[in-house]
Amino acid sequence: MKTNVKALFVHFFVFVFFVVVALAYFHPVLQGKVISQSDIQQYTGMAKEQNDFRKRTAEEPYWTNGAFGGMPTYQLGANYPHNYVKKLDSVIRFLPRPADYLFLYFIGFYILLCCLKVDYKLAIVGALAFGFSTYMIIILGVGHNAKAHALGYLPILLGGILLVFRKKYIWGFILTALAMALEVGANHYQMTYYFMLLVVILGLSYLVGAIRKKKLKHFFTSVGILILAVVLGISANATALMATKEYADWSTRGKTELTVKPDGSPRENTQGLGKDYITAYSYGILESLNLFVPRLFGGASVEDLGANSKTYDYLTEQGLSKSKALDFTSELRLYWGDQPGVSGPAYIGAIIFFLFVLGLFLVKGKFKWWLLGGTIMSLLLSWGKNFGLLTDFMIDYFPLYNKFRAVSSIQVILELCAPILAILALKKLFDSSEEYKRKMVALKTSFFIVAGLGVALLLLKGTFDFVGQSDETFRQYFGDEVVTMIQLDREAVYTSDTLRSLVFVLLTALVLWLFIKKRMKRSLAVTAIGVLVLIDLVGVGLRYVNEDNFVRKRQMEAPFQETALDKRILEDTEVFRVYDPSEGLNGARTSYFHQSIGGYHAAKPAGIMELFDFHVYKNNIRVLNMLNVKYVIQQDEEGRSYPAINPNANGNAWFIEKLIPVKNADEEILALDSIDVKNTAVVNTSVFPNIQNFNLTKDSTAIITLVDYKPNHLTYTASNTRDGVAVFSEMYYPHGWNAYIDGEAQSSFKVNYVLRALKVPSGDHNIEFKFEPKVVKTGSKISLASSVLLILLSLGGAGFSIWRSRKKKT
């Protein structure tokens, strides 16, 4: 009993410690400030209509017309019935953002190490190493909150899996099921998918061990328990998963029916994302060494060197004022790797890198091998197009791999595996039963390998040219001398950070050597390493995310300021769309104030993206007309923006005179280059074979008018003396949008590649489009049943385990 009380006290102390550290790093949150995150600003723009509707009506729209011409809100923070996982998550993440995510990193990794029987002191060091890993901090700075959220729960999920394989079936099941529910609820399936690749390697490792030791019964029992836990955890998020799957098929992540590209050439891939898009962010092979040296390839795309820069010295020598020189060097283009741009290096820490290598010599058994296997897999796949043989195989043949972009982010698996093996190495080294000679040989070998790598990088410095992708552009504007100075600054940070890493390796090796020689106590050695890890990782993290990233809360709640341009457009009370060519498909400012055909999202609606590629980017005004784009943002001769009125916008709905049948999607999208979209529409009869009447007669007095607008409920009045077909300037989405004429359900169909159309009988009618997604109703029932079952099994299992434990003691 005393042992349990002591353990609870220790865990409570650790809990409080992590809270303090998280708040200390992000201390501006204590002043009521919030972190300025570019992606969250864009999200706020995208979700503005949804959030306004929710506040106004206390209802969930599940659809917004604020972006991309219209899309479901399933990936924009939609709230679903019976989402009890979200409520549990909000209890766990009780700190202000982003301190809540940093705390989640810490506590999640701590739980994992406790599942591995690591004592609390080393578990604290490991948690700090994982949480302050530079990539983990950087994603908080730019607003990849869903990714951070998912990464925070991965260690807990891994801990549950390992508990089951350790025959802790009940607690393992509970932890796995709860962690899986929370992981899926975090809503970043790419991170979950990558983690499952690691689980496959882990499973194979345990299978091989089971075969060798003839313990297949335990292995398959464990697998069965884990499958049940995972299914239960997934089912608790049924609504979100089913809705996301439905939307994903409609988005750029799904299959396209097009077989041609905008230039007329054949399309290589019609399933999922294109290879170029998937691999645009691919780590360079040598660039991966920034795991060990943070600014080996310059660090971030933009670095602030201040006055400690050769560029600064040169500019001031040329007569530029110190303030202007500092302005220039505060945004130096130091990154010279192959990726389009980075917010910082994926630095895991020189100490953790060194201890990981030490673990390869000290740690025995399957743990080492699946951690090493996961690390190698992560590293090779992160190279993307730079290791095309493996990447192409995964894209072409491995299920779902082509659904995700930015393959460089798979290095998160390495960033999970490395600190685990590093801490297991320390556990072995601090174990008094471990042979002295073996520990000393492992320490010396690891030190010479890692230190040798650092020295080699210094010696090979002269073989690099330090030329970046932006150098030619800079050369045109600032001249050869400035570019040369920037390249010298790249060389300087390469050298200084390599030396920095070597110093941390040397200090860590010295601490471990003193411990092995019994000249330093274990507690002092653990503390020293913990302090060194903090100095190392926090020092690098603060380069990229610090108090300068925080702003007043109001600034993030309203990230875009209304301009005179916006006011002029908002004076128009009609329902229409706005197009800003400067944003295109990669900005949500317009969506914050108006209904836009652009937006900002990783999984864009496929139809609108293809319309942009085939027509909008080629200035096909017909497509803007049918999308009811009434205002196009233009620039005057002095560079000032103004809203140019498009007098030919078709309006909200119109009757057509002719419906042209085509045989496939290629013909349908290409036809938009020539048809009169005000009077003619094109329909793909391979998708809608029941559409037969193509010759229509439109009464000159026929009219259809939008009389009431809600994002999920559109009401029109129509008057026509003949039967006709009406086209609506709204996105056709086959799941949930139901059409009604005078209250009677009708079937709508798709025309002009993306729009809705409806057969309207003669006379005066009331037409409604209501978004009534069945996926939400069905999914919420599954979520409710699964959540209740999960709660009952967790409580019952925990109660039984405690009762059995007490019974054994008596």
Side-chain angles (χ1 to χ4, degrees):
M1 186 67 179
K2 291 182 179 180
T3 303
N4 290 336
V5 172
K6 181 180 178 181
L8 286 174
F9 176 79
V10 167
H11 295 321
F12 175 76
F13 161 77
V14 173
F15 178 92
V16 173
F17 175 72
F18 287 153
V19 169
V20 171
V21 174
L23 290 174
Y25 188 87
F26 290 119
H27 60 86
V29 300
L30 299 175
Q31 304 166 5
K33 293 183 177 182
V34 297
I35 192 167
S36 177
Q37 300 171 305
S38 57
D39 273 27
I40 299 304
Q41 290 175 339
Q42 298 297 333
Y43 161 80
T44 302
M46 289 281 292
K48 183 65 160 56
E49 184 183 50
Q50 168 192 234
N51 292 337
D52 287 349
F53 180 82
R54 188 187 288 148
K55 290 177 183 177
R56 190 168 62 249
T57 66
E59 297 177 11
E60 196 68 28
Y62 297 119
W63 186 271
T64 179
N65 290 303
F68 300 124
M71 64 181 292
T73 61
Y74 303 147
Q75 288 293 305
L76 291 174
N79 294 323
Y80 301 114
H82 305 303
N83 191 352
Y84 303 112
V85 174
K86 191 171 185 177
K87 290 180 172 61
L88 174 61
D89 172 67
S90 64
V91 171
I92 296 171
R93 294 189 304 107
F94 63 95
L95 293 177
R97 187 172 297 174
D100 58 341
Y101 291 125
L102 185 55
F103 169 77
L104 185 59
Y105 292 161
F106 293 153
I107 202 69
F109 204 81
Y110 178 79
I111 291 172
L112 166 61
L113 291 179
C114 287
C115 293
L116 292 174
K117 296 183 177 180
V118 174
D119 76 86
Y120 79 94
K121 293 179 182 178
L122 282 179
I124 290 173
V125 175
L128 295 175
F130 177 74
F132 282 122
S133 181
T134 306
Y135 183 81
M136 300 296 183
I137 299 297
I138 288 170
I139 59 177
L140 295 178
V142 298
H144 293 177
N145 289 353
K147 181 183 289 186
H149 199 169
L151 292 175
Y153 285 123
L154 286 184
I156 305 177
L157 181 55
L158 180 57
I161 293 170
L162 294 173
L163 278 181
V164 171
F165 279 115
R166 283 181 47 209
K167 296 186 179 182
K168 305 290 184 180
Y169 296 130
I170 295 177
W171 288 112
F173 170 83
I174 294 171
L175 192 59
T176 301
L178 290 174
M180 191 68 200
L182 292 163
E183 171 63 27
V184 175
N187 194 37
H188 201 295
Y189 306 129
Q190 184 173 4
M191 297 300 102
T192 310
Y193 177 84
Y194 288 159
F195 175 73
M196 289 306 165
L197 296 181
L198 174 64
V199 172
V200 170
I201 294 174
L202 182 153
L204 290 174
S205 172
Y206 273 92
L207 176 59
V208 171
I211 292 172
R212 287 179 176 176
K213 297 179 181 179
K214 298 181 180 181
K215 293 184 177 181
L216 286 174
K217 181 181 178 181
H218 162 61
F219 174 81
F220 287 113
T221 299
S222 299
V223 170
I225 291 171
L226 289 172
I227 289 174
L228 179 61
V230 167
V231 169
L232 199 56
I234 290 174
S235 299
N237 294 278
T239 315
L241 281 170
M242 292 167 65
T244 298
K245 173 62 171 65
E246 181 187 278
Y247 171 70
D249 291 341
W250 189 69
S251 76
T252 53
R253 306 298 172 98
K255 181 180 180 180
T256 179
E257 297 300 322
L258 295 175
T259 62
V260 296
K261 295 180 180 180
D263 60 5
S265 60
R267 188 181 292 264
E268 298 173 0
N269 179 41
T270 61
Q271 184 69 48
L273 302 173
K275 287 183 181 179
D276 290 343
Y277 186 63
I278 292 171
T279 61
Y281 286 86
S282 297
Y283 255 102
I285 294 175
L286 285 177
E287 186 182 355
S288 296
L289 287 174
N290 64 16
L291 294 162
F292 174 50
V293 179
R295 289 192 294 199
L296 195 71
F297 277 73
S301 295
V302 174
E303 291 267 347
D304 182 2
L305 293 187
N308 186 27
S309 159
K310 295 185 183 299
T311 306
Y312 173 85
D313 294 339
Y314 172 79
L315 292 174
T316 52
E317 288 172 2
Q318 297 301 309
L320 195 67
S321 68
K322 291 183 178 180
S323 61
K324 289 184 177 180
L326 283 173
D327 288 341
F328 189 89
T329 57
S330 67
E331 295 185 349
L332 273 183
R333 302 282 178 171
L334 284 194
Y335 178 69
W336 54 285
D338 295 331
Q339 298 183 74
V342 292
S343 299
Y347 179 61
I348 63 172
I351 297 170
I352 296 300
F353 187 91
F354 167 56
L355 294 177
F356 174 83
V357 176
L358 178 64
L360 297 178
F361 295 98
L362 270 184
V363 179
K364 299 177 181 178
K366 55 181 172 288
F367 262 90
K368 175 174 71 176
W369 297 115
W370 70 259
L371 288 169
L372 178 61
T375 299
I376 293 173
M377 173 207 68
S378 172
L379 190 62
L380 297 181
L381 289 176
S382 73
W383 292 343
K385 61 188 175 184
N386 298 312
F387 192 31
L389 183 66
L390 177 60
T391 299
D392 290 347
F393 171 81
M394 295 294 289
I395 292 173
D396 292 337
Y397 301 108
F398 209 84
L400 302 179
Y401 195 80
N402 64 353
K403 301 295 183 182
F404 306 112
R405 66 189 185 109
V407 293
S408 59
S409 63
I410 198 173
Q411 277 201 5
V412 296
I413 300 303
L414 182 154
E415 289 154 19
L416 173 63
C417 292
I420 296 174
L421 188 56
I423 297 303
L424 292 179
L426 287 179
K427 181 184 177 184
K428 274 286 185 181
L429 190 135
F430 288 134
D431 187 351
S432 58
S433 64
E434 197 70 25
E435 184 185 354
Y436 166 86
K437 183 178 180 181
R438 185 169 181 269
K439 290 192 284 189
M440 189 59 77
V441 169
L443 177 62
K444 290 180 179 179
T445 305
S446 303
F447 174 74
F448 286 126
I449 289 173
V450 177
L453 174 62
V455 172
L457 289 173
L458 290 174
L459 295 176
L460 293 172
K461 179 176 63 174
T463 63
F464 300 119
D465 56 16
F466 299 97
V467 174
Q469 298 179 44
S470 60
D471 286 5
E472 286 306 313
T473 302
F474 261 61
R475 199 182 306 277
Q476 294 174 17
Y477 286 97
F478 304 108
D480 292 340
E481 292 81 3
V482 170
V483 173
T484 299
M485 292 300 113
I486 292 174
Q487 291 170 356
L488 289 174
D489 280 327
R490 290 172 184 152
E491 183 178 357
V493 297
Y494 174 106
T495 303
S496 62
D497 272 18
T498 302
L499 290 172
R500 179 185 185 277
S501 291
L502 284 172
V503 169
F504 278 112
V505 170
L506 178 62
L507 291 175
T508 304
L510 178 61
V511 169
L512 297 180
W513 182 84
L514 289 172
F515 169 78
I516 295 172
K517 289 290 188 178
K518 297 183 179 181
R519 297 177 186 177
M520 182 180 289
K521 292 183 178 180
R522 183 184 189 277
S523 58
L524 180 59
V526 173
T527 302
I529 291 174
V531 170
L532 287 172
V533 166
L534 276 177
I535 294 172
D536 179 15
L537 290 173
V538 172
V540 174
L542 287 173
R543 294 175 181 175
Y544 305 105
V545 183
N546 51 55
E547 60 183 345
D548 294 337
N549 295 82
F550 285 81
V551 296
R552 294 190 305 274
K553 190 175 183 180
R554 172 63 182 166
Q555 193 170 328
M556 280 299 291
E557 291 178 340
F560 305 105
Q561 300 305 307
E562 187 178 285
T563 64
L565 179 153
D566 297 310
K567 290 178 181 178
R568 287 174 59 185
I569 298 175
L570 291 170
E571 289 173 356
D572 191 331
T573 57
E574 294 181 356
V575 178
F576 51 82
R577 293 191 177 90
V578 178
Y579 173 47
D580 186 348
S582 67
E583 279 187 336
L585 287 172
N586 287 293
R589 187 195 180 281
T590 303
S591 298
Y592 188 79
F593 297 103
H594 319 287
Q595 291 186 14
S596 173
I597 63 170
Y600 185 89
H601 203 276
K604 300 174 177 64
I608 195 71
M609 187 166 182
E610 288 160 348
L611 277 189
F612 264 79
D613 291 340
F614 276 81
H615 297 290
V616 177
Y617 287 141
K618 297 179 181 179
N619 299 316
N620 182 353
I621 194 66
R622 296 181 184 85
V623 170
L624 296 184
N625 292 342
M626 77 177 197
L627 293 174
N628 193 23
V629 175
K630 188 174 182 180
Y631 293 94
V632 179
I633 309 304
Q634 301 286 346
Q635 306 285 326
D636 62 19
E637 294 179 355
E638 297 180 3
R640 294 174 299 190
S641 298
Y642 69 94
I645 297 178
N646 174 19
N648 298 314
N650 286 13
N652 305 112
W654 59 96
F655 284 104
I656 57 172
E657 296 177 349
K658 189 176 183 181
L659 195 57
I660 300 175
V662 294
K663 298 177 181 178
N664 53 53
D666 294 343
E667 292 182 7
E668 185 177 12
I669 198 168
L670 293 173
L672 299 178
D673 214 14
S674 57
I675 66 170
D676 173 12
V677 294
K678 186 66 176 178
N679 296 296
T680 307
V682 58
V683 60
N684 183 353
T685 54
S686 68
V687 180
F688 299 98
N690 295 326
I691 304 300
Q692 301 293 335
N693 186 14
F694 302 119
N695 294 313
L696 309 167
T697 303
K698 185 175 83 168
D699 186 344
S700 60
T701 62
I703 187 170
I704 182 167
T705 306
L706 178 67
V707 294
D708 187 58
Y709 171 82
K710 295 176 184 176
N712 59 350
H713 187 179
L714 306 172
T715 305
Y716 307 80
T717 57
S719 180
N720 190 8
T721 59
R722 298 183 175 88
D723 293 348
V725 171
V727 177
F728 302 82
S729 60
E730 307 297 332
M731 292 294 116
Y732 178 84
Y733 186 73
H735 313 290
W737 273 110
N738 297 322
Y740 301 88
I741 298 180
D742 299 328
E744 296 290 330
Q746 304 291 328
S747 296
S748 62
F749 57 98
K750 184 175 70 172
V751 298
N752 294 358
Y753 201 70
V754 296
L755 299 184
R756 302 173 202 167
L758 186 66
K759 290 182 178 181
V760 182
S762 62
D764 297 333
H765 298 285
N766 185 70
I767 300 173
E768 294 175 281
F769 277 96
K770 298 179 182 180
F771 192 52
E772 301 165 318
K774 290 183 179 179
V775 69
V776 174
K777 296 178 182 178
T778 303
S780 62
K781 292 177 182 178
I782 298 173
S783 294
L784 174 60
S786 300
S787 297
V788 170
L789 184 58
L790 176 58
I791 292 169
L792 291 175
L793 288 176
S794 297
L795 292 176
F800 175 76
S801 182
I802 293 171
W803 171 81
R804 189 174 62 177
S805 177
R806 289 179 176 176
K807 187 177 180 181
K808 286 182 179 179
K809 290 180 181 179
T810 58

Short mmCIF file of all heavy atoms in Angstrom, two decimals, residues 2 18 84 166 220 248 255 264 352 361 363 405 407 424 484 609 629 663 679 719 773:
data_model
loop_
_atom_site.label_atom_id
_atom_site.label_comp_id
_atom_site.label_asym_id
_atom_site.label_seq_id
_atom_site.Cartn_x
_atom_site.Cartn_y
_atom_site.Cartn_z
N LYS A 2 1.92 1.25 0.86
CA LYS A 2 2.82 2.40 0.91
C LYS A 2 3.49 2.62 -0.42
O LYS A 2 3.72 3.76 -0.84
CB LYS A 2 3.86 2.19 2.01
CG LYS A 2 3.30 2.25 3.42
CD LYS A 2 4.40 2.09 4.45
CE LYS A 2 3.85 2.19 5.87
NZ LYS A 2 4.92 2.03 6.88
N PHE A 18 5.71 18.82 -15.27
CA PHE A 18 5.47 19.01 -16.71
C PHE A 18 4.59 20.23 -16.98
O PHE A 18 4.78 20.95 -17.96
CB PHE A 18 4.83 17.76 -17.31
CG PHE A 18 5.78 16.59 -17.44
CD1 PHE A 18 5.29 15.28 -17.43
CD2 PHE A 18 7.13 16.78 -17.59
CE1 PHE A 18 6.15 14.21 -17.56
CE2 PHE A 18 8.01 15.71 -17.72
CZ PHE A 18 7.51 14.42 -17.69
N TYR A 84 -17.80 11.85 -27.21
CA TYR A 84 -17.29 11.85 -25.84
C TYR A 84 -15.77 11.79 -25.80
O TYR A 84 -15.16 12.18 -24.80
CB TYR A 84 -17.91 10.69 -25.07
CG TYR A 84 -19.42 10.76 -25.07
CD1 TYR A 84 -20.19 9.81 -25.75
CD2 TYR A 84 -20.08 11.80 -24.44
CE1 TYR A 84 -21.58 9.89 -25.78
CE2 TYR A 84 -21.47 11.90 -24.46
CZ TYR A 84 -22.20 10.94 -25.13
OH TYR A 84 -23.58 11.05 -25.17
N ARG A 166 3.49 -7.49 -23.05
CA ARG A 166 4.12 -7.88 -21.78
C ARG A 166 3.15 -8.67 -20.89
O ARG A 166 3.40 -8.86 -19.72
CB ARG A 166 4.58 -6.62 -21.03
CG ARG A 166 5.87 -5.99 -21.57
CD ARG A 166 6.24 -4.77 -20.74
NE ARG A 166 6.16 -5.06 -19.31
CZ ARG A 166 5.88 -4.16 -18.38
NH1 ARG A 166 5.63 -2.91 -18.72
NH2 ARG A 166 5.84 -4.50 -17.11
N PHE A 220 -0.62 -14.36 -30.58
CA PHE A 220 -1.92 -14.20 -31.24
C PHE A 220 -3.00 -13.75 -30.25
O PHE A 220 -3.94 -13.04 -30.63
CB PHE A 220 -2.33 -15.49 -31.95
CG PHE A 220 -1.54 -15.75 -33.20
CD1 PHE A 220 -0.65 -16.82 -33.29
CD2 PHE A 220 -1.65 -14.90 -34.28
CE1 PHE A 220 0.08 -17.04 -34.44
CE2 PHE A 220 -0.92 -15.11 -35.44
CZ PHE A 220 -0.05 -16.19 -35.53
N ALA A 248 -13.01 12.69 -48.31
CA ALA A 248 -11.71 12.41 -48.94
C ALA A 248 -11.89 11.89 -50.36
O ALA A 248 -11.13 12.24 -51.27
CB ALA A 248 -10.93 11.41 -48.11
N LYS A 255 -10.05 9.54 -56.05
CA LYS A 255 -9.79 9.19 -57.45
C LYS A 255 -10.41 10.23 -58.37
O LYS A 255 -11.54 10.66 -58.17
CB LYS A 255 -10.37 7.81 -57.76
CG LYS A 255 -10.13 7.34 -59.19
CD LYS A 255 -10.74 5.97 -59.41
CE LYS A 255 -10.50 5.50 -60.85
NZ LYS A 255 -11.10 4.17 -61.10
N GLY A 264 -3.35 18.81 -72.01
CA GLY A 264 -3.79 17.82 -72.98
C GLY A 264 -3.03 16.51 -72.93
O GLY A 264 -3.43 15.53 -73.57
N ILE A 352 20.69 13.13 -27.72
CA ILE A 352 19.80 12.00 -28.02
C ILE A 352 20.36 11.20 -29.19
O ILE A 352 20.32 9.96 -29.20
CB ILE A 352 18.37 12.49 -28.32
CG1 ILE A 352 17.77 13.15 -27.08
CG2 ILE A 352 17.49 11.34 -28.79
CD1 ILE A 352 17.69 12.24 -25.87
N PHE A 361 24.57 -0.43 -29.09
CA PHE A 361 25.60 -1.32 -28.54
C PHE A 361 25.22 -1.88 -27.17
O PHE A 361 25.68 -2.96 -26.80
CB PHE A 361 26.93 -0.56 -28.42
CG PHE A 361 27.50 -0.15 -29.75
CD1 PHE A 361 27.31 1.13 -30.24
CD2 PHE A 361 28.21 -1.06 -30.53
CE1 PHE A 361 27.82 1.51 -31.46
CE2 PHE A 361 28.72 -0.68 -31.76
CZ PHE A 361 28.53 0.60 -32.23
N VAL A 363 21.74 -1.95 -25.71
CA VAL A 363 20.42 -2.56 -25.59
C VAL A 363 20.38 -3.86 -26.39
O VAL A 363 20.83 -3.92 -27.53
CB VAL A 363 19.32 -1.60 -26.07
CG1 VAL A 363 17.93 -2.26 -25.97
CG2 VAL A 363 19.35 -0.30 -25.25
N ARG A 405 0.57 13.77 -48.44
CA ARG A 405 1.65 14.55 -49.05
C ARG A 405 2.75 14.79 -48.02
O ARG A 405 2.65 14.38 -46.88
CB ARG A 405 1.10 15.89 -49.56
CG ARG A 405 0.61 16.80 -48.46
CD ARG A 405 -0.12 18.01 -49.02
NE ARG A 405 -0.48 18.93 -47.94
CZ ARG A 405 0.09 20.11 -47.75
NH1 ARG A 405 1.05 20.52 -48.56
NH2 ARG A 405 -0.28 20.90 -46.75
N VAL A 407 6.11 13.80 -47.66
CA VAL A 407 6.65 12.56 -47.10
C VAL A 407 7.76 12.82 -46.09
O VAL A 407 8.07 11.93 -45.27
CB VAL A 407 7.18 11.63 -48.22
CG1 VAL A 407 6.05 11.14 -49.10
CG2 VAL A 407 8.23 12.35 -49.07
N LEU A 424 16.52 3.93 -23.10
CA LEU A 424 16.81 2.53 -22.77
C LEU A 424 18.31 2.29 -22.65
O LEU A 424 18.76 1.47 -21.85
CB LEU A 424 16.21 1.60 -23.83
CG LEU A 424 14.67 1.53 -23.87
CD1 LEU A 424 14.21 0.61 -24.98
CD2 LEU A 424 14.11 1.08 -22.53
N THR A 484 27.06 36.31 -51.90
CA THR A 484 28.28 35.68 -51.40
C THR A 484 28.33 35.76 -49.87
O THR A 484 28.73 34.79 -49.20
CB THR A 484 29.53 36.38 -51.99
OG1 THR A 484 29.50 36.25 -53.41
CG2 THR A 484 30.81 35.76 -51.45
N MET A 609 -10.44 22.44 -57.71
CA MET A 609 -9.01 22.49 -58.03
C MET A 609 -8.79 22.21 -59.52
O MET A 609 -7.97 22.86 -60.17
CB MET A 609 -8.23 21.51 -57.17
CG MET A 609 -6.73 21.62 -57.32
SD MET A 609 -5.85 20.72 -56.02
CE MET A 609 -4.14 21.11 -56.45
N VAL A 629 -19.27 34.43 -59.59
CA VAL A 629 -18.24 35.33 -59.09
C VAL A 629 -18.59 36.74 -59.55
O VAL A 629 -18.44 37.09 -60.73
CB VAL A 629 -16.84 34.94 -59.61
CG1 VAL A 629 -15.80 35.96 -59.17
CG2 VAL A 629 -16.47 33.56 -59.07
N LYS A 663 -19.64 11.93 -72.88
CA LYS A 663 -19.43 10.53 -72.50
C LYS A 663 -18.54 10.33 -71.29
O LYS A 663 -18.54 9.27 -70.68
CB LYS A 663 -18.84 9.77 -73.70
CG LYS A 663 -19.74 9.74 -74.91
CD LYS A 663 -19.05 9.03 -76.07
CE LYS A 663 -19.93 9.02 -77.31
NZ LYS A 663 -19.25 8.37 -78.47
N ASN A 679 -26.89 29.72 -70.94
CA ASN A 679 -28.03 29.08 -71.60
C ASN A 679 -27.83 27.59 -71.85
O ASN A 679 -28.77 26.90 -72.24
CB ASN A 679 -28.31 29.78 -72.94
CG ASN A 679 -28.73 31.22 -72.75
OD1 ASN A 679 -29.77 31.50 -72.16
ND2 ASN A 679 -27.89 32.15 -73.21
N SER A 719 -40.46 30.24 -61.37
CA SER A 719 -41.66 30.42 -62.19
C SER A 719 -41.28 30.16 -63.63
O SER A 719 -40.36 30.78 -64.17
CB SER A 719 -42.22 31.83 -62.01
OG SER A 719 -43.38 32.01 -62.81
N PRO A 773 -26.77 15.26 -43.98
CA PRO A 773 -25.82 14.15 -44.15
C PRO A 773 -26.19 12.92 -43.32
O PRO A 773 -26.23 12.98 -42.09
CB PRO A 773 -24.49 14.76 -43.71
CG PRO A 773 -24.86 15.89 -42.81
CD PRO A 773 -26.17 16.42 -43.31
#
